[in-house]
């Protein structure tokens, strides 16, 4: 029969560690929910979440190699939470970029400050675009396809 000290050292303490680890990974959830409600990241820094993803991937690989279920169950919820946090931050950054892009597009239209010469140039450009694209319209100003947070996450995951 195993001693009480052995049971505490090999089962109780690792279980408490897994619970505390999950609570630590879940700490930023309310902050991101508040940002999602407001529609902006504001001053919230999502960069640590990218490192959280890489860290949990490393620990999950280690737990697989060593077949340590306590390490696995301490990091699997953190991996899922970090994915959710990163996706939420990316959505908010993308939303911010779209808002900026839309405001840039709308300020040119709403201001109405274009001269006749600019209107003629735009008309010539649109005719040239129609001819070159076989009737398909094109968008000259584009928003970035990746946000800064997405680039950081990709870099960290690739390096890890």
């Amino acid at each position: 029969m195993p001693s009480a000290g052995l049971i505490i050292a090999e089962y109780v303490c690792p279980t408490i560690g897994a619970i505390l680890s999950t609570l630590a990974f879940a700490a930023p959830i309310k902050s991101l929910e508040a940002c999602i409600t407001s529609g902006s990241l504001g001053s919230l820094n999502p960069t640590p979440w990218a490192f959280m993803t890489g860290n949990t991937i490393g620990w999950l690989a280690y737990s697989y190699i060593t077949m340590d279920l306590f390490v696995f169950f301490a990091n699997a919820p953190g991996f899922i939470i970090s994915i959710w946090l990163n996706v939420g931050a990316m959505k908010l950054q993308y939303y911010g970029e779209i808002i900026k892009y839309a405001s840039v597009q709308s300020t040119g239209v709403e201001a109405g400050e274009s001269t006749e010469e600019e209107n003629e140039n735009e008309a010539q450009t649109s005719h040239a675009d129609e001819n070159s694209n076989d009737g398909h319209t094109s968008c000259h100003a584009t928003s970035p396809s990746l946000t800064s947070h997405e680039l950081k996450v990709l870099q960290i995951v690739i390096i890890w």
Side-chain angles (χ1 to χ4, degrees):
M1 180 166 160
S3 68
L6 183 66
I7 292 173
I8 290 172
E10 291 192 16
Y11 298 103
V12 175
C13 288
T15 302
I16 292 171
I19 292 168
L20 291 175
S21 173
T22 302
L23 293 174
F25 287 128
I29 289 176
K30 288 192 182 222
S31 299
L32 183 61
E33 285 178 347
C35 290
I36 289 171
T37 303
S38 71
S40 170
L41 280 175
S43 63
L44 185 64
N45 181 13
T47 303
W49 303 339
F51 287 100
M52 184 190 306
T53 302
N55 185 34
T56 55
I57 288 171
W59 280 110
L60 288 172
Y62 174 79
S63 73
Y64 178 75
I65 291 169
T66 61
M67 297 296 180
D68 189 340
L69 291 177
F70 291 109
V71 174
F72 177 81
F73 286 114
N75 287 281
F79 177 70
I80 294 167
I81 291 169
S82 70
I83 295 296
W84 181 79
L85 292 169
N86 283 303
V87 169
M90 287 183 240
K91 286 179 183 179
L92 287 173
Q93 285 186 337
Y94 185 72
Y95 179 72
E97 292 294 323
I98 294 299
I99 296 298
K100 279 195 262 183
Y101 175 74
S103 67
V104 167
Q105 293 296 329
S106 66
T107 55
V109 174
E110 290 176 4
E113 297 176 0
S114 60
T115 62
E116 289 179 28
E117 190 175 300
E118 290 173 350
N119 289 337
E120 290 174 15
N121 289 339
E122 287 178 13
Q124 290 173 355
T125 304
S126 66
H127 289 283
D129 286 342
E130 288 174 4
N131 293 337
S132 65
N133 291 331
D134 299 329
H136 293 75
T137 60
S138 65
C139 182
H140 295 288
T142 59
S143 62
S145 60
L146 292 175
T147 64
S148 62
H149 187 68
E150 286 174 315
L151 290 173
K152 289 178 188 175
V153 170
L154 287 174
Q155 290 172 347
I156 290 167
V157 168
I158 289 170
I159 290 171
W160 233 273

